[in-house]
Amino acid sequence: MPEHEERGTPGTGGGRADTARGRNETPDERADRRWAELIQEIRVAQTGVQILFGFLLTVVFTPRFAELPSTDKTIYITTVALGAAATGALIGPVSFHRIVSGRRIKPQAVVWASRLTFTGLVLLLATLISALFLVLRVATHDGFVPWLVAGVVTWYVVCWFLLPLWARIRYTTLDD
């Protein structure tokens, strides 16, 4: 298969010409589209992090919490702090947009909101890893827990970062 067909946009039937041509939109239209896409992505991540964070906040009030060794309490506190930071980063774009709305800086707002969202995803990854580690330590106390968590971390990194980066490199060019 020729390179221009391999690198085309899936589903368009076209090759490199379709990719190179891109969308016919003004910078403002592009910012509006990118903002709408970003908000949809944030909705998914926000829901997950807020449910996890809410659950984490209740753990300290359970009778079993007092019985946890100090190491597990430290892991719990770290997990809650990571969850709070992830929540802040994933809600940040909404506040950012509200504060700068109407100032004609939407392209820059989209860039900053995107950075906050990426940061939130990294913090969500750390929160999930920490929570999984704590739950498995409390549930099993077995030596395989770090290996299991490492396997899950690897899976998250592949799904969240490596696969998208591979697709980005594979299907885009330097001038995109």
Side-chain angles (χ1 to χ4, degrees):
M1 177 180 281
E3 183 184 54
H4 71 278
E5 289 177 21
E6 287 179 14
R7 297 177 66 91
T9 305
T12 64
R16 182 178 282 277
D18 287 332
T19 303
R21 187 174 52 232
R23 296 175 189 255
N24 187 18
E25 57 189 7
T26 67
D28 286 341
E29 290 170 337
R30 182 171 190 255
D32 288 342
R33 177 184 53 80
R34 290 183 67 211
W35 180 259
E37 291 171 353
L38 185 61
I39 288 300
Q40 286 302 105
E41 295 164 5
I42 291 171
R43 284 184 180 136
V44 172
Q46 268 183 354
T47 301
V49 76
Q50 287 172 334
I51 290 169
L52 176 60
F53 186 57
F55 169 75
L56 286 170
L57 292 176
T58 66
V59 171
V60 74
F61 298 106
T62 63
R64 177 106 191 265
F65 184 80
E67 301 168 11
L68 289 178
S70 64
T71 301
D72 290 340
K73 287 181 181 177
T74 300
I75 295 169
Y76 170 77
I77 291 166
T78 302
T79 305
V80 169
L82 287 168
T87 300
L90 290 170
I91 293 174
V94 175
S95 175
F96 196 100
H97 181 263
R98 187 55 21 226
I99 291 170
V100 303
S101 182
R103 301 292 178 185
R104 299 185 187 269
I105 60 168
K106 190 172 236 175
Q108 295 85 357
V110 170
V111 169
W112 281 103
S114 181
R115 290 175 181 162
L116 281 169
T117 302
F118 187 81
T119 301
L121 291 174
V122 171
L123 289 166
L124 176 58
L125 174 65
T127 305
L128 290 169
I129 293 164
S130 184
L132 180 64
F133 186 63
L134 176 62
V135 167
L136 293 176
R137 272 181 55 92
V138 171
T140 67
H141 297 291
D142 285 335
F144 72 87
V145 168
W147 294 104
L148 182 58
V149 172
V152 172
V153 168
T154 301
W155 177 247
Y156 285 164
V157 169
V158 167
C159 293
W160 292 12
F161 303 106
L162 295 180
L163 184 60
L165 284 172
W166 172 83
R168 180 179 180 166
I169 291 166
R170 175 78 170 88
Y171 297 110
T172 61
T173 61
L174 292 175
D175 54 340
D176 283 342

